[in-house]
């Protein structure tokens, strides 16, 4: 990594070298975010390739899931149990700014590629380890899939309707949260390295990440001694704040203060609610939410979702229809924010893929390389190393 003057049109992580030993979702999601910002990410794969190469949906015979979370990277196959491959991995690590791995704790050490091994040959290296439960603690060796971590973190206990079973979130949120915090950890450690000249080991756990992603139940339990439970499509602390029914479907509304509640009462034709003692505070409105829900749905039941949302938003009250995934991605908001861009894939052709969501002033978006084919970049990566043993 070399210092660069700020210049228009430069991606913010141009010049940063990342050695990526990750597979499946948490690690590849982390390094995809970094690749979006211009870093050179070299993805090390086993001879069989990342597991996600073999999981659908498939487009033109290629995994769309692999293409999504491995966008912008280069691929080289290394059998890390073989001496030659380990030598190549060490050569790549000597010139890397960041190494990211998501093996079970201890696996990289057994291969001679752990933090002590690589920091000894590259003291400026930022080494990021992603795992289910971290490098320490009683569960460190326990296998972890997203559903397991959702269950163990308490997230499933607060997701779903009160009289129904615990419910998964509709994405592998534990993997995604760990990948997001890992990318954040990479950047913090790089910043610290610029001040100290030294790299460090960054330890990220899916379990830790999910706990950190739940500040509301954390404060309720840790500070107030409460036991959060499932509340369905309602907010656990505020009302009206949830999902309600109109004539032709569902909509959301969020009211969080007295001023908004008075306006809300006017909009639904029940101005007297603002002066009713049982709705005099947010806590009281939450305690008496069923009565509020009846008033809301009594009003909205005569209106379409579009009419309901229009009436609320025109009065300054946060509200929305329930968009599908397709509607969200097709929205003008997503388009103008450039949350996806076209990538030209060797077999899939022109395919639209997500981009990391943060905007950095004049740093450009788009212009990314597609996800690589297995071992696609071996020759050029070895040439960059001046590797004599490539034959």
């Amino acid at each position: 990594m070399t210092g660069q003057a700020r210049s228009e049109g430069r991606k913010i992580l141009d010049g940063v070298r990342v050695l990526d030993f990750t597979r499946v979702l948490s690690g590849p999601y982390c390094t995809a975010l970094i690749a979006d910002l211009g870093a050179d990410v070299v993805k090390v794969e086993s001879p069989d390739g990342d597991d996600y190469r073999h999981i659908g949906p498939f487009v033109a015979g290629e995994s769309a899931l692999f293409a999504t979370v491995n966008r912008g990277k280069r691929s080289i196959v290394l059998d890390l149990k073989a001496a030659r491959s380990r030598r190549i991995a060490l050569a790549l690590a000597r010139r890397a700014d960041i190494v990211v791995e998501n093996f079970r704790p201890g696996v990289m050490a057994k291969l001679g590629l752990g933090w002590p091994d690589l920091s000894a040959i590259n003291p400026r290296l930022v080494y990021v380890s992603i795992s289910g439960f971290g490098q320490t603690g009683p569960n460190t060796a326990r296998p972890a899939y997203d559903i397991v971590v959702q269950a163990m973190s308490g997230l499933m206990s607060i997701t779903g309707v009160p009289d129904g079973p615990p419910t998964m979130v509709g994405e592998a949120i534990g993997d995604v949260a760990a990948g997001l915090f890992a990318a954040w950890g990479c950047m913090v450690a790089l910043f610290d390295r610029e001040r100290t000249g030294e790299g460090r080991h960054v330890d990220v756990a899916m379990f830790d990440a999910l706990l950190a992603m739940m500040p509301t139940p954390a404060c309720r339990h840790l500070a107030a001694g409460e036991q959060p439970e499932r509340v369905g499509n309602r907010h656990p602390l505020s009302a009206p704040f949830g999902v309600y029914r109109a004539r032709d479907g569902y909509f959301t509304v969020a009211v969080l203060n007295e001023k908004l509640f008075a306006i809300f009462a006017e909009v639904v034709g029940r101005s007297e609610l603002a002066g009713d003692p049982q709705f005099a505070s947010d806590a009281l409105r939450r305690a008496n939410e069923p009565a509020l829900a009846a008033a809301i749905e009594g009003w909205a039941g005569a209106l379409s979702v579009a009419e309901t949302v229009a009436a609320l938003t025109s009065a300054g009250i946060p509200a929305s229809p329930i968009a599908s995934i397709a509607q969200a991605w097709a929205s003008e908001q997503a388009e103008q924010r450039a949350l996806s861009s076209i990538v030209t894939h060797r077999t899939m052709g022109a395919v639209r893929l997500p981009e990391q969501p943060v905007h950095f002033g004049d740093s450009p978006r788009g212009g990314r390389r597609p996800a690589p084919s297995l071992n696609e970049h071996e020759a050029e990566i070895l040439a960059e190393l001046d590797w004599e043993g490539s034959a």
Side-chain angles (χ1 to χ4, degrees):
M1 179 180 178
T2 58
Q4 295 186 36
R6 180 173 176 175
S7 59
E8 185 176 352
R10 178 182 64 83
K11 288 204 170 186
I12 201 164
L13 292 183
D14 279 352
V16 174
R17 292 171 172 169
V18 181
L19 182 56
D20 180 2
F21 289 102
T22 70
R23 71 267 187 247
V24 189
L25 182 53
S26 61
Y29 184 77
C30 163
T31 51
L33 297 176
I34 298 171
D36 284 347
L37 295 172
D40 176 20
V41 179
V42 172
K43 181 178 179 69
V44 174
E45 299 188 68
S46 72
D48 293 329
D50 188 317
D51 291 349
Y52 263 19
R53 289 188 181 275
H54 314 294
I55 295 178
F58 295 98
V59 178
E62 300 278 350
S63 167
L65 186 54
F66 179 87
T68 297
V69 295
N70 289 283
R71 58 190 187 261
K73 306 173 189 179
R74 299 191 289 165
S75 170
I76 183 170
V77 165
L78 297 177
D79 179 358
L80 296 178
K81 295 180 180 179
R84 175 181 178 272
S85 288
R86 285 198 301 275
R87 289 196 301 272
I88 294 171
L90 289 170
L92 288 168
R94 285 191 185 94
R95 65 200 294 269
D97 296 294
I98 302 169
V99 162
V100 186
E101 60 93 7
N102 66 344
F103 290 101
R104 292 189 316 274
V107 169
M108 289 292 276
K110 289 179 181 178
L111 294 170
L113 299 170
W115 160 244
D117 305 296
L118 299 192
S119 63
I121 63 172
N122 183 355
R124 289 174 54 81
L125 183 68
V126 170
Y127 188 108
V128 181
S129 296
I130 307 171
S131 61
F133 300 99
Q135 304 299 305
T136 59
N139 292 324
T140 187
R142 185 170 181 162
Y145 279 85
D146 182 81
I147 189 172
V148 173
V149 178
Q150 286 198 37
M152 293 181 69
S153 68
L155 178 61
M156 287 177 68
S157 76
I158 60 170
T159 306
V161 296
D163 57 351
T167 303
M168 288 176 59
V169 175
E171 172 56 279
I173 193 67
D175 283 292
V176 172
L180 179 60
F181 279 111
W184 176 81
C186 286
M187 299 303 102
V188 172
L190 276 184
F191 176 76
D192 185 60
R193 187 186 76 175
E194 295 308 299
R195 298 190 297 183
T196 67
E198 298 178 353
R200 67 174 61 236
H201 189 195
V202 179
D203 175 6
V204 181
M206 293 167 63
F207 178 80
D208 302 4
L210 270 192
L211 280 181
M213 293 280 280
M214 295 185 284
T216 301
C219 78
R220 294 180 66 197
H221 172 66
L222 296 175
E226 297 178 7
Q227 177 56 55
E229 297 179 348
R230 295 187 293 283
V231 293
N233 288 321
R234 302 291 194 263
H235 193 280
L237 302 177
S238 299
F241 201 118
V243 176
Y244 301 94
R245 188 176 186 90
R247 186 184 68 227
D248 60 347
Y250 293 91
F251 66 97
T252 63
V253 64
V255 175
L256 198 58
N257 59 53
E258 312 311 314
K259 181 180 178 181
L260 268 184
F261 183 66
I263 298 171
F264 172 81
E266 290 282 351
V267 172
V268 302
R270 296 289 302 276
S271 58
E272 76 278 6
L273 296 177
D276 191 324
Q278 68 175 331
F279 305 132
S281 70
D282 196 43
L284 286 169
R285 289 193 292 274
R286 182 65 189 89
N288 296 291
E289 196 273 344
L292 277 179
I296 295 166
E297 295 188 340
W299 165 72
L303 304 172
S304 68
V305 168
E307 292 167 335
T308 302
V309 171
L312 292 167
T313 55
S314 65
I317 297 168
S320 174
I322 311 298
S324 68
I325 295 297
Q327 289 169 332
W329 277 111
S331 68
E332 185 178 355
Q333 183 70 21
E335 179 67 25
Q336 290 200 14
R337 293 292 291 173
L339 300 181
S340 65
S341 63
I342 298 293
V343 172
T344 302
H345 191 275
R346 64 200 168 279
T347 57
M348 298 168 68
V351 58
R352 184 170 291 277
L353 298 178
E355 289 214 32
Q356 67 79 29
V358 182
H359 293 250
F360 294 91
D362 58 9
S363 183
R365 300 174 71 80
R368 301 169 297 166
R369 68 168 80 222
S373 59
L374 185 62
N375 207 36
E376 178 180 349
H377 301 98
E378 178 188 38
E380 73 180 42
I381 291 169
L382 293 182
E384 290 166 5
L385 294 174
D386 294 325
W387 188 259
E388 298 178 355
S390 57

